[in-house]
Amino acid sequence: MSTDRSLTRLHAHEMAAGLRAGRFSAGELLAAHLALIEGQDRALNAWVSLDAPGARAAAADADARIAAARAEGAAALAALPALLGIPVGLKDLVVTRGQPSTAGSRILAGFRGPYDAHIAERLAAAGAVIPGKTNMDEFAMGSSTEHSAWGATANPWDLDRVPGGSSGGSAAAVAAYHVPVAIGTDTGGSIRQPAAVTGTVGMKPTYGRVSRYGIIAFASSLDQVGPFARDVRDAALLLGAVAGRDDRDSTSSALPVPDYAAALPEDRDRAAGILRGLRLGLPRQYFVDGMEPEVEARIREAVAALAAAGAEIVEVDLPHTGYGLATYYIIAPAEASANLARHDGIRYGRSVREGDVLGSYLATRGEGFGPEVKRRIMLGTYALSAGYYDAYYLKAQKVRTLIKEDFDRAFTRVDALIAPSTPTVAFPLGARTGDPLAMYLSDICTIPVNAAGLPALSVPCGLADGLPVGLQLIGQAWDEARLFAIGRAWEAIDADAPWRRLEPAALPRLDDPATPSMKGRAQA
């Protein structure tokens, strides 16, 4: 079987075309990706578990389906699912039958899923090939993937820097060509922020667009599943495969899911033409104190390029943006406190027996949870306690409504909003682990979108000091198709930028046996 690395450099839609044309098989495609993972992940630590036998079986099934369709003719080939035979990474909080699902936590060490999450069912039906689970901040609590019980993940652009979080494993795996697309979750920016700092595309859909059934919960009113990819078309393909109504999740929407990818023009001129006549709002509150000058410069340059291509740029006010961080860090820990109560050492997962039931409960959670999870459980429990519920949690929910109303007013004037995805490039490993507030500020540009339940897309827009910068596109509820179209238009007008011909600078170090291992590095 071929382990040609050139196969890993293809986009998912190019892989799909190659499979149908018979240029390579799904088995060869998987072998190339597994070889890359097995050779490089010691130094990257993007993966916490692999299922090579299961992936090979799925690839063989995909090859059989393609061969049968080829025998039937062109129409049968064209009708095959877009992700058939395509490797897809899953964040380690997606439950899959018989496979580890630890959410990056020792309290779930050894736990194997008794069922498949809704999105795992959808991917299986589409014929996707799942090599394994990607690393993450424990229970999705973090912005750097340093809060994982299984060690930190490195950034493929600079192995001494973070890949963002909490979905940093998925972002790093896509950026390093270990898979063309991957699944993440976004509670306060955990898809868009790592996408920005790894130079990938990341979409946080409208709350309710994708079922959360089988997703290990952090904050139920904020969590949403979404795609990582190396271009907008592939992100659209993956979201289209997993979105839609699921009766097992009462918050999932019954609204029809458009064929996001089919609506995107391939021709660059047609794609760029999407911008003509669009009104794009630029919120002044997103250019925050402490934003790195080179990051701001790349964002301003992107805005100017969008305007030159025909978009009308309108400055807008989102006056309650400044309260977003405080609001989030009341609501999210409160919901986490409730959700994580189920991890008690009695029903499943880690169990430490020490004296009576209470002693065992405390010992299990004391040994199983990491410092950041404990911090947020304590914050959330306090915010929900008698005498403080009204002062903190209830007030935060009222401010959340004000944030949503800011967006509603803005969208009476504009078609979409443009903003930075994050105020800085990837920061060094260990730089913020001793200062939780500095870490929390990493998500200052992304959190308001989660509070309002809106969709947002991060697309790369250049480099600052050799590291990726992300441009954030924010849309109205259920308007993912428009965001993908604007993102595709941005790719068209920026297609000849020199930085787009570059691969992540640290990739050669991943192949060097002398590069230190990231596996098992102590949790921050």
Side-chain angles (χ1 to χ4, degrees), residues 251-277:
T251 66
S252 70
S253 172
L255 288 175
V257 178
D259 189 338
Y260 299 118
L264 297 177
E266 295 185 19
D267 179 79
R268 280 173 55 178
D269 290 338
R270 285 186 58 221
I274 292 168
L275 295 168
R276 286 192 286 274

Side-chain angles (χ1 to χ4, degrees), residues 126-201:
V129 176
I130 312 297
K133 303 287 183 68
T134 57
N135 203 8
M136 58 179 285
D137 285 301
E138 185 179 7
F139 285 102
M141 298 180 192
S143 304
S144 64
T145 315
E146 293 173 284
H147 298 291
S148 169
W150 320 125
T153 296
N155 190 321
W157 288 85
D158 182 342
L159 301 188
D160 296 318
R161 292 178 182 263
V162 304
S166 65
S167 306
S170 287
V174 171
Y177 304 100
H178 289 186
V179 282
V181 291
I183 289 290
T185 61
D186 193 311
T187 306
S190 290
I191 291 174
R192 290 160 290 152
Q193 185 253 7
V197 302
T198 59
T200 55
V201 174

Side-chain angles (χ1 to χ4, degrees), residues 32-398:
H33 286 91
L34 283 177
L36 205 59
I37 294 168
E38 290 164 359
Q40 295 185 340
D41 198 52
R42 182 190 65 85
L44 188 64
N45 201 27
W47 299 86
V48 296
S49 64
L50 294 174
D51 178 23
R56 291 188 182 105
D61 181 68
D63 283 330
R65 290 174 66 180
I66 292 168
R70 187 176 292 117
E72 293 180 28
L77 273 176
L80 291 173
L83 290 179
L84 182 64
I86 307 301
V88 179
L90 290 186
K91 189 175 180 178
D92 191 37
L93 48 54
V94 180
V95 175
T96 50
R97 187 184 301 274
Q99 293 301 313
S101 306
T102 73
S105 180
R106 294 192 186 281
I107 206 163
L108 286 174
F111 172 72
R112 291 180 178 268
Y115 62 94
D116 281 326
H118 177 74
I119 66 165
E121 294 173 346
R122 285 285 183 93
L123 290 170
V129 176
I130 312 297
K133 303 287 183 68
T134 57
N135 203 8
M136 58 179 285
D137 285 301
E138 185 179 7
F139 285 102
M141 298 180 192
S143 304
S144 64
T145 315
E146 293 173 284
H147 298 291
S148 169
W150 320 125
T153 296
N155 190 321
W157 288 85
D158 182 342
L159 301 188
D160 296 318
R161 292 178 182 263
V162 304
S166 65
S167 306
S170 287
V174 171
Y177 304 100
H178 289 186
V179 282
V181 291
I183 289 290
T185 61
D186 193 311
T187 306
S190 290
I191 291 174
R192 290 160 290 152
Q193 185 253 7
V197 302
T198 59
T200 55
V201 174
M203 160 65 85
K204 181 258 174 210
T206 308
Y207 182 80
R209 178 60 90 181
V210 183
S211 169
R212 292 179 294 108
Y213 175 78
I215 306 298
I216 298 172
F218 166 15
S220 299
S221 75
L222 299 165
D223 297 344
Q224 188 56 196
V225 177
F228 285 96
R230 289 193 294 274
D231 73 355
V232 169
R233 183 177 299 279
D234 283 0
L237 281 175
L238 184 52
L239 180 59
V242 299
R245 174 64 183 171
D246 173 19
D247 289 338
R248 295 165 298 188
D249 175 6
S250 62
T251 66
S252 70
S253 172
L255 288 175
V257 178
D259 189 338
Y260 299 118
L264 297 177
E266 295 185 19
D267 179 79
R268 280 173 55 178
D269 290 338
R270 285 186 58 221
I274 292 168
L275 295 168
R276 286 192 286 274
L278 275 183
R279 290 171 61 86
L280 301 179
L282 186 66
R284 55 177 58 90
Q285 288 84 359
Y286 278 64
F287 292 89
V288 297
D289 291 341
M291 176 171 284
E292 292 176 349
E294 284 295 299
V295 171
E296 181 169 350
R298 297 294 87 75
I299 299 299
R300 299 285 186 188
E301 289 164 5
V303 171
L306 291 167
E312 180 183 354
I313 308 300
V314 180
E315 280 208 356
V316 298
D317 269 319
L318 300 174
H320 294 95
T321 296
Y323 300 105
L325 199 67
T327 299
Y328 175 86
Y329 279 102
I330 293 172
I331 294 172
E335 295 184 7
S337 171
N339 278 326
L340 270 62
R342 71 193 65 175
H343 301 285
D344 53 14
I346 297 172
R347 285 168 283 196
Y348 51 82
R350 185 186 186 97
S351 181
V352 179
R353 297 303 178 191
E354 189 170 300
D356 58 11
V357 172
L358 179 58
S360 297
Y361 174 82
L362 294 174
T364 297
R365 290 165 68 85
E367 293 183 21
F369 289 142
E372 182 62 24
V373 172
K374 291 176 182 175
R375 180 182 296 118
R376 298 201 195 190
I377 289 173
M378 288 189 290
L379 286 170
T381 303
Y382 180 81
L384 293 175
S385 61
Y388 297 100
Y389 178 92
D390 289 350
Y392 292 105
Y393 185 74
L394 187 59
K395 185 174 289 186
Q397 292 288 14
K398 291 178 179 178

Side-chain angles (χ1 to χ4, degrees), residues 509-521:
R509 288 187 62 199
L510 294 178
D511 291 315
D512 185 351
T515 301
S517 174
M518 294 293 289
K519 294 288 185 183
R521 180 180 286 195

